Amino acid sequence: MAVADHIKDIKDKIVAACRKGGRDAFSVQLVAVSKFQPDEKIQEALDAGLRVFGENRVQEACEHWGVRRSVYPDLELHVIGPLQTNKAKEAVALFDVIETVDRPALIDELKKECRKQQKFPRFFVQVNVGEEPQKGGVMPADLPVLLDYAAQSGLRIEGLMCIPPADDPPALYFALLMKLAARYNLPNLSMGMSGDFEKAIALGATHIRVGTALFGDRK
Ligand SMILES: *Cc1c(COP(=O)(O)O)cnc(C)c1O
């Protein structure tokens, strides 16, 4: 199936999930995860009208999007992978939304780069909902302190993001993220991937990050 067909299929599923949950279909943004995908598939997605993409690594994102940025001025690029502080400069330069803010040192660095470059991407905090040591994200118990730190630094956080543990059913984790976002008055929730985005929509996702269901298996 071509990328355009997958897009149609996914959009139909988004509309259906929204209808079922009594939500407006425009309240869910599809973020097309283009990491490790061949260039021609990315082009197919652009030709089919997609403009919002997610990447894990800054270097690969530059390869995919550095030149295309000027061809498609309405692109919206999201960082969805762990961000090292020494990549903050490139991340601020290239991306529109940074979804993986998770520690004070990164907030410091992002703030500095925003000021220097006079560029102001949007920010989400990643929450380590399964409290997995190998994963990025702030522990749920440490979230309020980090949000305070961001507020004091003048970094406006507009949502939460999570990647639930691979081996558990995701619904409890999605519900936890929804609860945390409500508690701290954050309007956006980035959760749900190829296998579980409908469930995420049922639990309030405003951004779903879909890779393989759109593009096929990664290289
Ligand atoms: C790769 C990735 C995705 C996309 O996963 P699929 O299962 O291919 O849809 C979503 N979110 C993050 C953070 C990822 O790293």
Side-chain angles (χ1 to χ4, degrees), residues 96-99 101 107 110-111 114 120-125 146-160 185-188:
D96 305 286
V97 183
I98 296 177
E99 296 199 12
V101 176
I107 289 176
L110 289 169
K111 188 67 206 165
C114 289
F120 302 95
R122 295 150 52 199
F123 298 101
F124 286 45
V125 165
L146 190 71
L147 290 174
D148 276 347
Y149 190 84
Q152 276 163 29
S153 312
L155 202 82
R156 210 167 58 80
I157 303 295
E158 63 171 52
L160 300 178
N185 273 319
L186 299 166
N188 290 321

Side-chain angles (χ1 to χ4, degrees), residues 37-99:
Q37 294 294 347
D39 230 48
E40 60 273 15
K41 290 210 173 166
I42 295 176
Q43 193 55 52
E44 276 185 63
L46 286 163
D47 292 345
L50 293 197
R51 290 295 180 270
V52 182
F53 293 86
E55 291 278 354
N56 274 45
R57 293 180 310 130
V58 174
Q59 185 56 44
E60 190 189 8
C62 288
E63 287 159 21
H64 282 164
W65 302 105
V67 173
R68 286 197 170 107
R69 262 251 95 117
S70 49
V71 185
Y72 300 94
D74 53 344
L75 273 181
E76 181 180 298
L77 300 180
H78 293 230
V79 194
I80 60 170
L83 194 55
Q84 291 167 273
T85 38
N86 64 8
K87 293 280 161 51
K89 179 178 174 182
E90 286 159 283
V92 167
L94 182 68
F95 288 96
D96 305 286
V97 183
I98 296 177
E99 296 199 12

